Amino acid sequence: MKRKTNRLDEIRKGQEEAAKRRRALVRELSARRKSKQSDNAGNACEVEDAFPLYNIDIERAIAAAGQLHLIPIELDIGAAQTLNRPMIALLWEFLHTITRRESAVVLQWPVGQRDISLLHPLTMMALLGEPRKHRTNDAEWCDPSQGCRTLYFPWRGGASAALQKTLLARRTDILDWNKYHLMRHYMDKKSDATVMDKLHLTLGHLSQLSQRDNSKPHLAHPTLAESYPVFSAEAGVEKPKLFRRAHGELFGRVRHGAALDRQADHRGVLSAPETAPFGLFGVSPTAPFHRALSAPVFGRGGSGPQLPDVCLLDLAPRTMNRLGSNWAKIVEDFVTESRQRFPHIPFFVVTQDAYVHRRMTGMLRSVTKTKAIRSRVVVRISQDPVSDDPPVAFANAIEPRFSTVSGPTSDAITALSEAARGSSDPTLAGTLRREMGALRKAAALPCGLEQAYKILCQELGQSAAETFLEYRSRGTLLAPLKEALASEIGGAERARVTSARDAVKRAFDTLDQETPIGSLFAELAKALARKSSRTLIAFGSDCDCLLGRDRLVSDRESGAAIGRKIEREHLRLTSIEALEGVLAEIEGTRHRNGWKRLVLVSPSFEWMSIVLARGWLPDELIVVCERNLAKRVSESFEKLSSHPDLSGDGKLGHRLSLVADAAMLELEARKASSVELELDEGAEASPGDSVIDLTDDDADGHSKIVVMTLATKRTLRAREGSAIVRHNHGVDVNPFERTCARHIKRGEAIVVPDQTFLEEARETLPIRVLARSWTDIYHTTVQAHLSSIPGGSLNAKAKYVLSQIRYRGGRTQTEAAVLNWLKVEEHLQVDAERRQPHAPQRRREFDAFMAVLGVNDTLSERMWVEGIQPLRIDRRRAGHRMAQAFVSVLVDPHGTASGLDSTVRSAIKTLRKRTFDYLDQVVDIETIEGSERHD
């Protein structure tokens, strides 16, 4: 009889087997974890070996670099000079990045070192002199030095290290610390010579160059460029060239004097890409990044890892010009590929542009997945490593003020910028950007181009006058635009170039007779000449200074008085180039407090930054410039002033903050359209003068209304966003400022646009306005973009446009209305006096129409505000609202009047003088909801 199995025994047996399996699994997982930790430790050691520059003494390395003397060589041998302060600061940051493996982005402001690759040979010299000395018996020796292999991007061929060929490294400085390395090798004869020992032996041979100190001093010292090997990865015709051999010969200039080829020549090992201890590996932007960074030179040779120690990104102005507008994408691709190939490599970025500085900081944080990105600012005014560049210990507080103008020149610069941004040809884009600079220089002249030519011919001769004005002439700027239009470009790109060409033509139509800058400067100079304190006026060039002086002394009313002021140096005129010397001269005298103000007439952004980087400036800074410059100053300086390296009382950041605020105030004060409406004599007036109502019944009824009680017992009502002209009695020129009703405060004086003012304005300024010219611009713009609209006929194009407008939220109902907008050829045949804008009635549909055509927002805004809206019949029926027609005449008379004849300009001056009779003071303000009714 078979024994019956006990169920309980089976359960217990199963539990024991399960427990055994669990214990076995735990032991296996534990063994795997220990193995993984061991592998990680091995990898960590491997990484440490791959980056031997982890424990260098930065202070000792900087001290060694500070003792290095560089000798400039051009036509003759210059005096030996040590590294200046900003170069030492830049080298310190570079060594810190290598040592701590913390990526850094450094901004050189306002000027920068032109050759950033110079950091590599300076690091080499610093590291060779960094090891500590020891003494054994009577022999002195030092610890071994460490190499540095630098990955450099972007490589630009010979231009990357052109400056280094003109700088000699003093031979005795190298030999002084190299003898301790030689002594270490002499004491340790049993060990085989390493690659670094072979470098020290080669450097020791330089002692023989002393025989050339008198006969050939330029060959008695090596240059920085020949002291290390350079390898490059470039795009070849058939296949890319990936670090195959060194550029040039190591110590090639001095090899005969040092007899390097007649002794044990180790330069072959020192210049081999796999073993070079101080190799610079440049990667061209056109090279395939993946293949370049995967080259065998970055593999592991017999002597250990040969990975790059740091990646140096040179984003100086010349480099940025070569990379083009797509620089961010190119740099990001390189950084991403480098990070994937070398996960632990630190990046060191050097730039001279504040925007690039911020952009690269964010890019590195995104790619490296770390927030430990150091952001630094090095203040410098030198472009080379040895020029005197003292630190700015204290920056005195100043009172900045901007006086800006707009007009056709500003519109042309905006149109050129849009054309350059949308160009598919990098060469054309670069040409257009250079044209923007040329147009700014033409607009910066203190007088019109025709008058400038006459004056310069008399003072300098015809040849010099033509040379100076050629870069600023109409033909020079229009030639590349016409050439581009004659090419095969089409669609929206062609339309943008066409708009830029027309805008440049309109700008030169005004600049031939008068420049807005010149008109504003002449008015400002008359006001400054009446002051008892001294004024220093700086122009963009010596020729501009000559033209400015002639304009002041030739004025019929005040020319003689201003001439005497200039002779007594009560007014001192100079150029931007000579300004630093003049300021240093004034600062060193005991009468410097008598110079109360500095006037910069149309400076460039770079030169203005250089001036603001000085420690001492006169108490007042007045900048006369085009409005686009004030906008750039406001945006750039506002962000730069808050940087920790600049912020704080008595530092440059506080000064930059004041300048940024002043620029923003000026922009808000001059925010007005440069167009005048044709006032209708039959315009309907308000019932009385006790209440001036500027509210628009067609506006949003829910917007708030500002009710101002005036000192004359009258009441002015306006929407909170309505334009109000405020009078600033504290300025010498352009005292009328535009602001919104919500910003008006008690006690301020404003221009009251009552019926008397309107009648005075109509009588004094009977101009037909520039609105019609903007209407022509609108029609020609639509005509230029017609070819880019899909459709074989005008009806098909209208159907497509209608569908796109509805897709963007427009409420256009009929295809016939759109077809009427597109019939621009018929509209342009109408006489200019009777031509009306054939455009959408409402702003929403107009914006959608412009978006379909591909017109940029800035241009479409100007066409709507200054061309289409003013000519609407319902706008001309308004009473007090017509006072808005004169806002631009009051706040920007020089920009508004540019291009108009002398009669109209005279009428504008007369109106502004009479406007002082219509000022009134605000004694009380009340803000109410727009839906409330008023009697």
Side-chain angles (χ1 to χ4, degrees), residues 343-399:
H344 303 282
I345 191 172
F347 296 90
F348 188 76
V349 186
V350 184
T351 181
Q352 296 178 31
D353 191 297
Y355 169 74
V356 178
H357 180 250
R358 297 191 301 270
R359 179 73 180 273
M360 287 304 304
T361 303
M363 182 188 298
L364 289 183
R365 285 174 179 166
S366 175
V367 174
T368 61
K369 307 299 182 183
T370 178
K371 295 184 179 179
I373 305 297
R374 291 183 299 117
S375 174
R376 303 305 302 271
V377 176
V378 175
V379 179
R380 67 182 303 165
I381 58 174
S382 59
Q383 292 184 324
D384 59 77
V386 295
S387 295
D388 185 34
D389 199 331
V392 180
F394 178 79
N396 66 311
I398 59 175
E399 298 179 8

Side-chain angles (χ1 to χ4, degrees), residues 487-505:
S487 63
E488 298 179 355
I489 63 171
E493 183 177 355
R494 185 178 187 85
R496 284 189 289 266
V497 176
T498 302
S499 301
R501 180 201 60 187
D502 297 339
V504 170
K505 287 182 178 180

Side-chain angles (χ1 to χ4, degrees), residues 434-435 437-439 441-442 445 449 452-453 456 462-480 508 543:
R434 287 193 296 272
E435 285 201 359
L439 187 57
K441 290 185 177 181
L445 294 175
L449 290 171
Y453 180 74
L456 293 178
Q462 183 177 358
S463 178
E466 291 177 351
T467 301
F468 176 75
L469 295 176
E470 180 181 6
Y471 182 65
R472 301 162 172 81
S473 66
R474 179 195 299 260
T476 301
L477 269 71
L478 288 177
F508 274 98
C543 290

Side-chain angles (χ1 to χ4, degrees), residues 125 167-171 174 203 206 209 218-227 251 253-254:
M125 301 298 179
L167 292 175
L168 302 177
R170 195 167 69 175
R171 179 191 68 256
I174 300 175
L203 294 176
L206 299 181
L209 296 178
H218 63 286
L219 295 178
H221 310 274
T223 65
L224 288 178
E226 63 180 332
S227 61
F251 297 113
R253 291 176 62 258
V254 297

Side-chain angles (χ1 to χ4, degrees), residues 125-263:
M125 301 298 179
L127 292 180
L128 292 177
E130 178 264 343
R132 293 183 177 274
K133 290 191 300 181
H134 305 281
R135 188 178 185 88
T136 302
N137 297 329
D138 293 334
E140 289 185 327
W141 55 279
C142 66
D143 296 328
S145 56
Q146 304 173 82
C148 177
R149 292 162 65 89
T150 301
L151 188 63
Y152 177 81
F153 181 82
W155 171 252
R156 297 178 291 131
S160 294
L163 177 64
Q164 300 175 34
K165 297 179 181 179
T166 64
L167 292 175
L168 302 177
R170 195 167 69 175
R171 179 191 68 256
T172 55
D173 297 334
I174 300 175
L175 296 176
D176 285 344
W177 43 253
N178 190 64
K179 62 184 178 181
Y180 302 114
H181 293 286
L182 294 176
M183 180 57 67
R184 181 189 67 252
H185 178 68
Y186 175 79
M187 295 176 62
D188 191 14
K189 294 182 178 180
K190 296 181 180 180
S191 61
D192 295 332
T194 64
V195 177
M196 193 64 69
D197 291 332
K198 295 177 181 179
L199 173 61
H200 295 306
L201 291 173
T202 303
L203 294 176
H205 297 326
L206 299 181
S207 59
Q208 299 190 40
L209 296 178
S210 60
Q211 300 176 10
R212 302 204 172 195
D213 282 340
N214 296 325
S215 61
K216 297 180 178 180
H218 63 286
L219 295 178
H221 310 274
T223 65
L224 288 178
E226 63 180 332
S227 61
Y228 64 98
V230 176
F231 313 93
S232 66
E234 302 176 82
V237 179
E238 298 180 356
K239 61 180 181 179
K241 304 175 182 179
L242 305 178
F243 313 114
R244 286 188 293 185
R245 64 183 185 87
H247 291 269
E249 184 181 1
L250 191 64
F251 297 113
R253 291 176 62 258
V254 297
R255 69 182 179 93
H256 293 293
L260 296 180
D261 51 357
R262 294 194 299 272
Q263 304 182 48

